[in-house]
């Protein structure tokens, strides 16, 4: 359940950041390519999620070692 909530939080953060970037660019007349924007958003979401999970995995690995 923790992974589902972390994934949902990452998606919400990426969507908010993407919305802010699109608003800024539209106000200044800059056109964004949807294919590139979608790809970059997906990669950023994966990296952010892996970073959140890495801390949890490291704690689990160290608990069993003496």
């Amino acid at each position: 359940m923790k992974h589902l909530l972390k994934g949902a939080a990452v998606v919400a953060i990426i969507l908010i950041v993407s919305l802010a970037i699109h608003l800024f660019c539209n106000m200044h007349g800059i056109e964004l390519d949807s294919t590139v924007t979608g790809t970059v958003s997906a990669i950023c979401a994966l990296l952010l999620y892996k970073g959140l999970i890495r801390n949890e995995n490291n704690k689990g690995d160290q608990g069993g070692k003496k």
Side-chain angles (χ1 to χ4, degrees):
M1 189 64 165
K2 290 180 184 179
H3 293 285
L4 180 66
L5 294 175
K6 287 181 182 180
V10 167
V11 169
I13 290 169
I14 295 296
L15 285 175
I16 291 169
V17 169
S18 179
L19 177 69
I21 290 170
H22 278 87
L23 283 174
F24 177 79
C25 290
N26 284 338
M27 287 172 45
H28 293 293
I30 301 170
E31 294 290 327
L32 295 176
D33 185 21
S34 61
T35 305
V36 174
T37 305
T39 305
V40 170
S41 296
I43 291 171
C44 289
L46 285 171
L47 292 174
L48 185 59
Y49 180 72
K50 284 217 176 246
L52 288 174
I53 297 302
R54 183 182 332 138
N55 293 336
E56 185 176 307
N57 288 339
N58 288 340
K59 289 179 186 175
D61 292 341
Q62 292 174 355
K65 295 181 181 176
K66 289 187 178 182

